[in-house]
Amino acid sequence: MFDSEVLLPDLWDILGAVPVTLAMALGIFVFSTMIGSLFAMVEYRRIPLLRELVVAYKVIFKGVPMVIVIFLAYYGLPPTSRFLTSLVGIDYNGHSTPNWITLIVALTLCVSAFQAEVVKGALNSFDNGQAEAAYSLGYRKTQLFRRVMLPQVIVAAIPDLANSIMVIMKALSLGFAIEVVDIFAQSQLTAALNFYYLEAFLIAVFVYMVIAYIVTFVADRLERSLRV
Amino acid sequence: MLELKNIKLSYGSTQVLNGVDLSVKRGDVVSIIGPSGTGKTTLLKCINSLARPSSGTIAFDDVRMDYQKLDRTAIQAIRLRTAMVFQQFNVFKNMTVLQNVMDPLVVVQRKSKEEARRIALEELDRVGLSNKIDSYPSQLSGGQLQRTGIARALAVKPDVMLFDEPTSSLDPELVGEVLKVIRDVTSSGITSLLVTHEMQFARNISNRIVFMDRGVVAADGSPAEIFEASSNPRLTQFLTTEHSIQ
Ligand SMILES: Nc1ncnc2c1ncn2[C@@H]1O[C@H](COP(=O)(O)OP(=O)(O)O)[C@@H](O)[C@H]1O
Ligand SMILES: [Mg+2]
């Protein structure tokens, strides 16, 4: 039944997908954190109209399953990008968009909604007394933000941000639906060649666990060195 | 030097300040006493515009401001001449003790790092924190945090110090060290407004006592007038209650 001989070759096979998976995860993490932070600032500053749009965005992208967003992007992005580029006079064939870009766009859209909550929570955890102290001493809003708020908000957000890296890693496995090969998809493909499914997926579990361990460890260290 | 006229402020439908008049002369040490929720904190915050009255005027030396008009220049000018010490300390949690005191000098007053450091060390010595300059707030006691707050306020060389119940959040055994520092500060001649429930202390360090009650100044006079010769029944009742608490 269980064949330990395939474990090593399978492992090499599946490890081959790790760099791509990590690179996509990192890209999505960076983009979604930037967009999510913008959203959080809109809500924190209570900017009218934009704030309602952000709330609506969050409801949509937290509510709709990611796999549906991926399919919508897969079928919707090419004509949309073709239409948009034609507006500025460029003839771009949207259907030549690589699928991994489509996947990154779709997951960035979804994860931004979650990152917005993470950053908003961190912003709200900042106690207003320090802001009052800064203002009373003559700090401007931007000085308060840069010198006092941002350093504390980043530290407060680190654990949840690290958590979302793992959410992204797992969400990437949905890329299988549009033929993007990540760790999960690679195990699927490897198994399909030699029919040792259990072995391949156990290795995938192992690889995900190692990555989760490293991410948690690094985040923990980072948080501890920054928290004072 | 500082004159507040007819300050009115409400939060929603609750009127917190009902037309407060208060004038302070250079060198005055004024203690503000009164029941909780009367608007003492709010009044101090009106001075540096952390709270915004709906009407009233403030004159701070040559700076005059009508609260009905938003005058950012005047607000900033007054903020640069006052410094506040908060009940909850409000030190910057991401900075060491030294950085807390230096930062306003560098960021707001645009002093060089060296000069800021020199001034900060001086003030920290004054409040007895020379041995804690590299500690972070999470490593300090309440008394040390408040003394950091006081050093930070003193370092900007304000014309007026605003103390809002500086010892009310402290464990009883830490009150003394902070009161001692405040006594040193006020006796150095700096104009001070002090909201406090430490009656004996207020009496000793102040040349004037203001009794606030239900959003107005209900009595105003020398410590002797307020503590011994008051004819205001609300004040008498307040003093009796405070006395029995202590
Ligand atoms: N930011 C605020 N929003 C709403 N109500 C407030 C706010 N700050 C103070 N109050 C209310 O104003 C009243 C006066 O508060 P405060 O000035 O803190 O009184 P005191 O310092 O004399 O105890 C209280 O009833 C308090 O609940
Ligand atoms: Mg108060």
Side-chain angles (χ1 to χ4, degrees):
Chain A
M1 234 357 256
F2 188 84
D3 190 341
S4 59
E5 300 227 320
V6 302
L7 287 180
L8 206 56
D10 271 15
L11 176 65
W12 285 123
D13 233 24
I14 292 167
L15 279 182
V18 169
V20 178
T21 310
L22 286 180
M24 288 194 294
L26 194 66
I28 295 167
F29 176 75
V30 169
F31 294 135
S32 63
T33 305
M34 290 193 303
I35 297 172
S37 302
L38 273 179
F39 287 174
M41 283 308 287
V42 164
E43 281 202 273
Y44 186 75
R45 290 270 171 95
R46 297 170 199 227
I47 303 174
L49 195 64
L50 282 180
R51 190 181 167 208
E52 278 78 48
L53 289 175
V54 166
V55 172
Y57 181 97
K58 288 197 300 190
V59 170
I60 294 169
F61 282 95
K62 282 197 294 188
V64 178
M66 289 192 190
V67 71
I68 294 184
V69 177
I70 291 170
F71 276 124
L72 282 175
Y74 182 69
Y75 294 109
L77 269 186
T80 313
S81 56
R82 176 163 217 171
F83 172 73
L84 289 178
T85 48
S86 75
L87 286 183
V88 291
I90 302 169
D91 186 27
Y92 169 75
N93 181 1
H95 291 280
S96 63
T97 312
N99 286 358
W100 61 271
I101 289 190
T102 306
L103 180 63
I104 287 180
V105 170
L107 290 186
T108 298
L109 289 174
C110 296
V111 178
S112 295
F114 291 95
Q115 299 296 71
E117 298 294 9
V118 169
V119 178
K120 188 172 113 180
L123 283 169
N124 285 337
S125 75
F126 179 77
D127 82 281
N128 200 44
Q130 292 178 72
E132 287 196 325
Y135 288 136
S136 76
L137 290 159
Y139 283 64
R140 308 283 183 184
K141 226 177 209 170
T142 49
Q143 293 171 331
L144 162 70
F145 187 75
R146 277 211 322 271
R147 305 286 310 170
V148 184
M149 225 176 145
L150 192 60
Q152 294 183 42
V153 168
I154 289 175
V155 176
I158 286 176
D160 285 339
L161 289 179
N163 189 29
S164 50
I165 292 186
M166 290 319 298
V167 170
I168 294 168
M169 290 286 306
K170 292 192 274 184
L172 279 169
S173 60
L174 301 171
F176 192 58
I178 58 170
E179 290 147 31
V180 179
V181 179
D182 75 325
I183 295 168
F184 161 74
Q186 184 59 53
S187 5
Q188 183 104 317
L189 294 176
T190 302
L193 287 181
N194 58 17
F195 300 105
Y196 289 108
Y197 282 94
L198 183 61
E199 290 79 354
F201 287 132
L202 281 176
I203 285 182
V205 168
F206 172 71
V207 171
Y208 279 118
M209 270 171 50
V210 169
I211 294 174
Y213 177 76
I214 293 172
V215 169
T216 316
F217 180 79
V218 170
D220 213 51
R221 273 303 172 88
L222 189 64
E223 192 206 349
R224 236 183 302 163
S225 71
L226 291 177
R227 187 182 294 282
V228 287
Chain B
M1 147 180 238
L2 175 62
E3 186 155 34
L4 296 161
K5 275 203 184 131
N6 199 23
I7 305 293
K8 293 189 177 157
L9 184 148
S10 43
Y11 288 115
S13 59
T14 26
Q15 184 89 17
V16 177
L17 299 176
N18 281 310
V20 174
D21 294 304
L22 181 70
S23 80
V24 179
K25 291 200 293 292
R26 195 170 298 277
D28 267 354
V29 176
V30 181
S31 286
I32 302 173
I33 60 173
S36 306
T38 336
K40 304 180 298 295
T41 299
T42 307
L43 180 64
L44 286 193
K45 286 184 177 173
C46 288
I47 295 173
N48 55 20
S49 291
L50 291 181
R52 242 195 116 205
S54 56
S55 68
T57 60
I58 179 171
F60 195 111
D61 291 332
D62 53 325
V63 182
R64 279 155 204 289
M65 179 166 74
D66 183 341
Y67 283 112
Q68 282 178 328
K69 306 187 195 82
L70 183 65
D71 182 349
R72 291 184 195 281
T73 322
I75 290 176
Q76 185 70 1
I78 295 174
R79 282 180 178 172
L80 294 180
R81 292 182 202 186
T82 56
M84 189 156 183
V85 173
F86 297 85
Q87 186 174 351
Q88 302 296 342
F89 326 131
N90 297 348
V91 298
F92 304 139
K93 291 180 188 146
N94 59 316
M95 299 182 194
T96 63
V97 167
L98 180 62
Q99 288 166 344
N100 259 282
V101 184
M102 280 176 65
D103 208 62
L105 304 179
V106 176
V107 172
V108 180
Q109 301 191 348
R110 310 230 163 269
K111 287 189 162 53
S112 70
K113 279 247 164 74
E114 295 71 47
E115 205 192 347
R117 191 183 159 83
R118 189 184 55 74
I119 299 172
L121 289 174
E122 232 173 71
E123 298 303 340
L124 285 167
D125 181 47
R126 191 172 169 186
V127 300
L129 281 179
S130 294
N131 57 341
K132 291 284 175 192
I133 57 172
D134 292 322
S135 301
Y136 280 94
S138 57
Q139 306 160 330
L140 299 178
S141 71
Q144 292 165 334
L145 289 172
Q146 191 58 296
R147 286 186 282 143
T148 305
I150 294 173
R152 181 178 66 182
L154 289 171
V156 303
K157 312 284 182 213
D159 293 332
V160 176
M161 286 285 285
L162 309 171
F163 295 93
D164 182 24
E165 299 204 31
T167 58
S168 295
S169 340
L170 296 177
D171 294 336
E173 73 272 20
L174 301 176
V175 169
E177 66 184 57
V178 173
L179 289 185
K180 180 178 169 302
V181 169
I182 296 173
R183 185 194 305 268
D184 288 348
V185 171
T186 53
S187 65
S188 74
I190 184 166
T191 313
S192 303
L193 268 73
L194 168 72
V195 175
T196 187
H197 286 280
E198 300 282 339
M199 293 302 148
Q200 197 53 46
F201 182 72
R203 181 173 188 162
N204 289 339
I205 66 154
S206 321
N207 64 330
R208 243 179 87 199
I209 308 282
V210 167
F211 172 60
M212 275 188 74
D213 188 28
R214 294 180 284 199
V216 293
V217 172
D220 182 346
S222 70
E225 284 168 334
I226 295 294
F227 289 112
E228 278 140 33
S230 156
S231 57
N232 182 322
R234 296 266 310 173
L235 172 55
T236 315
Q237 190 203 344
F238 169 74
L239 290 175
T240 317
T241 331
E242 287 291 310
H243 190 74
S244 62
I245 292 169
Q246 285 166 15

